Amino acid sequence: MINETALLESKTLRDSVLERTDVLDKVKALSLLPDGMHVTTAMVAAYFEVAERAVNRMAQRHRDELTVNGLRILRGEELARFKGDTLSLYPESYPQPRSSLALWSRRAVLNAAMLLRDSEVARQVRTYLLDMEYLARTTHSVDNPAEAATQSLDDRIDQRITHILGKTVVPMFNALIETSGEHRKELIALRAGVQRVEQRLRQHHARLQRLESPHEGRPLPGVMASMDAMNGRTFEHHIAKLLRRDGCTNVVVQGGHGDRGVDIIALTADGRRLVVQCKRFAPYLNITSPDVQKFVGSAKVLYSAEVALYVATCPFTPEALSIAASGGITAVHRGLLEEWSAGAPLEILE
């Protein structure tokens, strides 16, 4: 099996897998601009969990390759049209660029995953791509292609491991070793090689399960992408739906003019007064300490809340988290929101 670092070195190999843009959301949800097709450099950096300057350096080194795969630099009239048609829809979430704006297609983002050396997310994307390539090569010779297409990936790997290696090849070598004298050492060496292959396949299987399963520390793909596409009001109603799912009652969405800094009021399942502030911001922005301070006043003074949630589609600054903790506010940051939306309950509501 080709090592994942090969993608860093071989443009030919990168080109061969660029159609598999769906793996981006399988590894981690990729947020898009309101046009539903592009991301900015800041959003690329947020996805790969690296500094924006690291993405810019990589883009400068590989500009020709990335341009072929959808990287565009908007300037002048083209930039003005994009700002007016797209970014102006959500002025709070997407800061307006000055003289130029880099737009990345999903294909260009996948290309970036095969060029960023120091991103753990990019490494996972490369690993997933090569797992798929390996699986395609090892299953192309099945007798019934139609049946193979309907089998799950895990079923095919399990069948290959269990029936070919575990129940056929290794026992055969055991029998030959018992009855052979002259070639005993060679057979033992061959058996060891087969057992190494079996172990590698098991590791491969486990890795695929981690990548495919929503229950192994990573929620369902697309959860955050769908929320990033919502407007503020739709997002508030989405949070209200999660509250009802977790047993809250008397849930009222009141976000808007005159809400006094609280978007949702409710009662928890055990009767405690609950208030929620909802912020649908771009994932590369942050909730700051002044934001949380204002909510502390609204939640505790104006509403006398016993449970207060500040729910955001972006991270909180360390100072904001500290103020939230001292003020009795539960900060539901982007990662926690993803888990909550995918089915995990919030501890404060239990």
Side-chain angles (χ1 to χ4, degrees):
M1 184 175 176
I2 303 172
N3 189 282
E4 57 95 11
T5 56
L7 288 169
L8 295 165
E9 310 297 338
S10 173
K11 182 179 181 301
T12 300
L13 187 57
R14 292 195 294 270
D15 290 342
S16 70
V17 295
L18 277 170
E19 298 301 322
R20 299 181 181 270
T21 57
D22 60 305
V23 306
L24 293 169
D25 286 321
K26 291 182 180 294
V27 173
K28 181 183 177 184
L30 175 66
S31 302
L32 300 174
L33 287 170
D35 67 355
M37 296 184 294
H38 297 97
V39 297
T40 65
T41 301
M43 295 167 75
V44 174
Y47 176 83
F48 289 115
E49 299 175 8
V50 297
E52 191 172 344
R53 62 179 178 275
V55 177
N56 285 326
R57 286 197 300 267
M58 178 273 296
Q60 290 173 359
R61 291 195 300 270
H62 302 278
R63 178 57 56 85
D64 291 344
E65 180 179 344
L66 290 165
T67 299
V68 168
N69 291 311
L71 175 61
R72 298 165 54 203
I73 307 298
L74 303 186
R75 295 185 176 88
E77 292 184 5
E78 189 177 20
L79 175 59
R81 284 196 302 271
F82 187 81
K83 289 166 65 176
D85 295 342
T86 301
L87 297 186
S88 62
L89 298 175
Y90 300 99
E92 293 183 353
S93 298
Y94 301 100
Q96 303 297 300
R98 295 182 179 178
S99 60
S100 66
L101 175 68
L103 285 185
W104 299 69
S105 67
R106 289 176 62 88
R107 187 181 175 101
V109 176
L110 181 60
N111 198 165
M114 295 181 276
L115 295 169
L116 285 167
R117 294 179 177 272
D118 299 325
S119 165
E120 176 60 22
V121 175
R123 190 197 66 77
Q124 291 178 22
V125 173
R126 294 193 294 270
T127 299
Y128 192 95
L129 283 170
L130 290 173
D131 280 344
M132 295 298 96
E133 184 69 14
Y134 174 77
L135 188 64
R137 291 180 180 179
T138 56
T139 60
H140 75 279
S141 61
V142 293
D143 295 334
N144 188 339
E147 181 181 350
T150 60
Q151 284 183 304
S152 71
L153 301 179
D154 290 347
D155 287 344
R156 277 179 272 168
I157 294 173
D158 284 343
Q159 183 180 21
R160 187 168 296 272
I161 292 172
T162 303
H163 295 292
I164 296 178
L165 295 179
K167 292 188 177 181
T168 304
V169 179
V170 173
M172 179 187 70
F173 274 111
N174 290 339
L176 288 172
I177 290 169
E178 289 296 326
T179 59
S180 175
E182 182 179 355
H183 301 290
R184 183 178 177 85
K185 289 184 179 179
E186 290 87 343
L187 289 169
I188 291 174
L190 286 172
R191 182 182 64 182
V194 170
Q195 290 173 326
R196 283 194 297 271
V197 171
E198 180 182 4
Q199 178 63 24
R200 184 60 183 268
L201 284 172
R202 290 188 185 278
Q203 293 170 349
H204 165 77
H205 178 208
R207 186 160 55 190
L208 275 181
Q209 283 188 315
R210 288 197 304 272
L211 291 169
E212 294 284 0
S213 172
H215 305 297
E216 301 242 345
R218 185 178 55 83
L220 292 168
V223 167
M224 291 308 300
S226 65
M227 270 185 279
D228 289 333
M230 296 175 182
N231 60 33
R233 191 65 171 176
T234 303
F235 179 60
E236 290 168 3
H237 281 280
H238 172 71
I239 299 305
K241 183 178 179 180
L242 295 179
L243 294 171
R244 294 187 185 101
R245 184 201 70 190
D246 288 355
C248 295
T249 60
N250 298 351
V251 179
V252 177
V253 178
Q254 61 175 26
H257 182 69
D259 61 17
R260 300 195 297 176
V262 168
D263 296 317
I264 302 172
I265 58 174
L267 295 175
T268 64
D270 57 3
R272 290 170 292 164
R273 288 187 298 275
L274 166 69
V275 297
V276 185
Q277 173 70 280
C278 302
K279 290 295 182 183
R280 197 216 65 80
F281 282 175
Y284 53 84
L285 299 178
N286 288 294
I287 300 300
T288 62
S289 56
D291 299 324
V292 178
Q293 287 171 5
K294 287 191 292 186
F295 182 56
V296 170
S298 297
K300 300 298 183 179
V301 177
L302 297 179
Y303 285 87
S304 300
E306 296 168 274
V307 179
L309 308 181
Y310 199 121
V311 182
T313 56
C314 63
F316 288 64
T317 65
E319 185 179 358
L321 289 173
S322 176
I323 291 173
S326 61
I329 305 298
T330 299
V332 184
H333 53 74
R334 187 176 180 85
L336 185 55
L337 174 59
E338 186 175 23
E339 295 175 2
W340 187 27
S341 295
L346 284 180
E347 290 186 8
I348 193 67
L349 298 180
E350 294 182 326

